[in-house]
Amino acid sequence: MLGKLFKHEVKATGRTFLPMYGALLILTIFTKLALTIGAPDFFTDDIATGPVAEVILGITFTLYVIFITALCVMTFVVIIQRFYKNLFTDEGYLMFSLPVKTWELILSKLLVGLMWSVVCCLMLVISIFILSLGSFSMMEVVQDINMAYTDFYTQFGMSLNIILFELFLCMLVSAISSILLIYASIAIGQLFNQHRVLASFGAYIVITIVLQIIVSIILVAVPLLANLDILFSGIDGIKAAQWLINGTTLINLVLCVIFYFCTQYIMEKHLNLE
Amino acid sequence: MIILSAKNLTKSFGKKIALSNVNVEIPRGRIIGLLGPNGSGKSTFLKLATGLLVPTEGEITIDGAIPGVETKAKTSYLAERTYLNGWMRAEDIIAFFEDFYEDFNRIKAENMLKELNINPSDRLKTMSKGTKEKVQLILIMSRSAELYLLDEPIGGVDPAARDYILNTIITNYKENASVIISTHLIADIEQVLDDIVFISKGEITMTSTVDEIREKYNKSVDGLFREVFKC
């Protein structure tokens, strides 16, 4: 059933995103054209463009930046809106009478939300790649990357891939935990009889503040209680960075579990659709 | 054979008690009217049976099991409101039902849409409220479920469509299935009912067969209802 939920979720969200991605590609090509015609030497050091070209370039670039911002904001909004609207408004009557488990409902929404976030990032990369075409040679890029790997290895004695993977994991887990925080906040809002959306915002703010306080306390308390000099003596900078990255991943993982079970508990035991 | 059973079923929302200590058993193969004034707990009862609400105390079971994936697969619930996505076409929502409910019969649904002159490729948001309700009821009745829970199924549709819908209800369910219809439009559905359950202020005040009422009180269900719930 998870697969079917996933499929219908993609269907329901794709009709918003696909046209946006299409529009992004068109806008990118348009901006690229404007660049090539209006300022062929844009990526060199001495740019010399006429005033008309400057205005046109200015407008296309502004449009481009606005559109990218809108795309990111929309990805975020759709993730929230799908969870709230599809499960806790009238549509919830249908979703909760389906023969599916609560965790399948949550997971399908989460996975599809993550999927679009990743696709959104990919689209941005592709778009920027198209814009910068012609300004660099592929050979040089490959060489630079290889150099970075070699440098890193000679300096730290380990592959750059390890750090990159840990960073990726950290980002992924923190993305999941921020989505689940929103889900939990929406679910907590459902415990109120009225002003539920307001209550969800309240829950979100309170949880964020509490987490901030806890993190601050840890950051202050740990150096006071433990002698970090001993702990970190003999550990080089890269190891310390790894500690930080993996520590963040671990904390976010714990938060994910808490937010997830909080959401599931409320949806199973205290569901009360308006 | 009992399809639905409630034991000491209580549901409260904060201090407000919506259902209080309800005990009832619904056998298979009957059409039951769940009748009561507004706010008497009809919807709450149906939501508890569907699994949209969890009891505060007591329990409700469908075919022996508390509401969950297993019971949702064999109960067909019509909500009191239209829950269909506006952007969907009727055919999209048919595909949705077909995916999730094994007992859904696509041909039946498409035939009923045709009979009511509803175009399957129309988007739901372009339909009137009554038409949306019809679509929803068609979907619900195109399943061969064991228990149908219909919350105000005829509230928003015109009298001509009402007859069609009632006819749909009584001709579309399996012999061993039961239909619970909650409504206050009693006169309209009286002809199809086998049993009635009167509910008032969260408590069941009377359960009886329709025949018994006619014999005992020499009244129609509608007449009795008006007398019992006289303001």
Side-chain angles (χ1 to χ4, degrees):
Chain A
M1 284 299 183
L2 185 64
K4 288 175 183 168
L5 284 171
F6 188 87
K7 180 182 110 187
H8 285 280
E9 188 64 22
V10 170
K11 240 187 192 173
T13 45
R15 70 195 183 91
T16 319
F17 286 120
L18 295 181
M20 288 286 275
Y21 295 147
L24 175 67
L25 283 184
I26 291 169
L27 191 61
T28 306
I29 291 167
F30 186 74
T31 311
K32 181 66 188 166
L33 277 179
L35 255 182
T36 321
I37 298 165
D41 47 3
F42 185 79
F43 287 105
T44 58
D45 286 334
D46 48 343
I47 314 169
T49 41
V52 180
E54 218 160 75
V55 170
I56 294 175
L57 269 182
I59 293 173
T60 31
F61 260 125
T62 315
L63 263 180
Y64 182 74
V65 171
I66 290 176
F67 193 85
I68 284 187
T69 317
L71 188 65
C72 295
V73 171
M74 210 170 76
T75 307
F76 188 66
V77 169
V78 168
I79 290 175
I80 300 172
Q81 186 240 18
R82 277 301 293 175
F83 190 76
Y84 171 72
K85 193 156 173 275
N86 191 236
L87 295 181
F88 296 110
T89 60
D90 288 355
E91 292 170 29
Y93 281 85
L94 174 61
M95 297 313 287
F96 282 102
S97 48
L98 294 178
V100 297
K101 293 231 161 48
T102 310
W103 66 264
E104 292 177 312
L105 287 175
I106 305 174
L107 197 63
S108 63
K109 296 271 184 286
L110 178 68
L111 289 177
V112 174
L114 271 179
M115 186 193 83
W116 289 123
S117 308
V118 173
V119 172
C120 180
C121 291
L122 281 179
M123 289 305 294
L124 293 186
V125 170
I126 292 173
S127 167
I128 290 167
F129 178 78
I130 294 177
L131 273 192
S132 54
L133 268 182
S135 66
F136 58 87
S137 82
M138 242 8 225
M139 277 278 279
E140 276 171 30
V141 174
V142 172
Q143 273 172 358
D144 284 350
I145 291 175
N146 278 336
M147 193 113 100
Y149 270 88
T150 334
D151 281 355
F152 193 86
Y153 191 81
T154 44
Q155 198 172 352
F156 301 110
M158 59 190 275
S159 170
L160 184 58
N161 278 335
I162 297 176
I163 286 284
L164 286 181
F165 175 73
E166 285 174 350
L167 259 178
F168 171 75
L169 206 66
C170 183
M171 275 159 53
L172 185 72
V173 174
S174 76
I176 295 175
S177 106
S178 35
I179 295 177
L180 284 173
L181 167 60
I182 294 168
Y183 288 0
S185 303
I186 291 172
I188 289 169
Q190 296 302 309
L191 296 173
F192 293 79
N193 281 328
Q194 40 193 333
H195 308 301
R196 290 180 172 180
V197 175
L198 202 66
S200 298
F201 272 109
Y204 184 84
I205 291 166
V206 169
I207 295 173
T208 314
I209 291 175
V210 169
L211 286 178
Q212 284 295 331
I213 293 173
I214 293 175
V215 169
S216 313
I217 290 174
I218 292 175
L219 284 182
V220 173
V222 168
L224 281 179
L225 296 175
N227 195 336
L228 286 185
D229 290 341
I230 296 174
L231 193 62
F232 282 117
S233 67
I235 295 181
D236 45 22
I238 195 71
K239 277 278 183 302
Q242 272 185 302
W243 270 82
L244 195 67
I245 294 170
N246 294 333
T248 313
T249 309
L250 203 68
I251 290 172
N252 271 321
L253 205 61
V254 172
L255 289 178
C256 284
V257 172
I258 295 172
F259 295 151
Y260 172 79
F261 280 103
C262 170
T263 311
Q264 173 163 331
Y265 174 78
I266 292 172
M267 282 167 73
E268 270 179 0
K269 304 288 178 201
H270 295 281
L271 184 68
N272 181 14
L273 298 173
E274 276 174 294
Chain B
M1 277 287 274
I2 302 295
I3 181 72
L4 181 150
S5 149
K7 290 193 190 81
N8 306 321
L9 185 66
T10 301
K11 178 68 192 178
S12 51
F13 301 102
K15 282 182 187 149
K16 206 178 131 235
I17 295 170
L19 275 184
S20 152
N21 213 18
V22 165
N23 288 289
V24 71
E25 285 193 331
I26 308 279
R28 285 178 182 270
R30 311 288 285 180
I31 299 183
I32 300 104
L34 183 62
L35 314 174
N38 296 325
S40 53
K42 302 188 296 280
S43 289
T44 304
F45 181 80
L46 294 182
K47 284 187 192 175
L48 283 163
T50 315
L52 291 177
L53 290 174
V54 178
T56 311
E57 270 170 61
E59 65 165 20
I60 186 162
T61 53
I62 312 293
D63 205 11
I66 55 171
V69 173
E70 194 191 323
T71 68
K72 285 173 185 178
K74 52 187 164 193
T75 50
S76 197
Y77 168 65
L78 180 76
E80 62 192 315
R81 51 185 78 204
T82 49
Y83 53 48
L84 303 172
N85 284 309
W87 59 270
M88 280 185 159
R89 300 166 198 279
E91 58 200 8
D92 293 333
I93 189 80
I94 285 180
F96 186 92
F97 265 67
E98 197 176 29
D99 256 359
F100 285 103
Y101 296 110
E102 275 175 24
D103 57 8
F104 184 77
N105 186 336
R106 168 185 277 270
I107 294 161
K108 220 175 195 178
E110 284 169 346
N111 283 341
M112 281 196 264
L113 283 177
K114 207 182 282 170
E115 281 176 64
L116 285 175
N117 294 318
I118 300 170
N119 187 350
S121 56
D122 279 353
R123 284 186 196 280
L124 286 150
K125 68 174 162 213
T126 65
M127 296 177 185
S128 71
K129 189 165 176 285
T131 310
K132 269 189 240 173
E133 284 186 17
K134 285 179 202 166
V135 172
Q136 205 157 294
L137 192 81
I138 287 172
L139 292 164
I140 295 300
M141 294 314 297
S142 300
R143 290 182 54 197
S144 63
E146 289 173 40
L147 179 64
Y148 296 87
L149 304 162
L150 312 179
D151 202 351
E152 300 285 357
I154 51 171
V157 297
D158 54 278
R162 253 173 225 187
D163 289 342
Y164 178 84
I165 286 169
L166 287 176
N167 199 32
T168 311
I169 294 173
I170 47 175
T171 50
N172 270 293
Y173 76 105
K174 293 187 294 188
E175 246 172 55
N176 64 342
S178 278
V179 186
I180 303 181
I181 305 174
S182 110
T183 189
H184 47 254
L185 297 168
I186 300 164
D188 281 318
I189 64 154
E190 186 165 349
Q191 23 151 355
V192 304
L193 295 181
D194 296 319
D195 301 317
I196 57 111
V197 174
F198 276 1
I199 181 167
S200 169
K201 294 179 188 133
E203 289 176 39
I204 289 183
T205 52
M206 180 194 282
T207 52
S208 163
T209 66
V210 172
D211 293 341
E212 259 173 25
I213 287 182
R214 295 208 180 106
E215 276 167 32
K216 215 161 138 189
Y217 300 95
N218 201 16
K219 275 195 178 76
S220 68
V221 176
D222 190 46
L224 183 67
F225 183 85
R226 282 167 202 269
E227 197 178 289
V228 172
F229 293 109
K230 202 169 178 184
C231 297

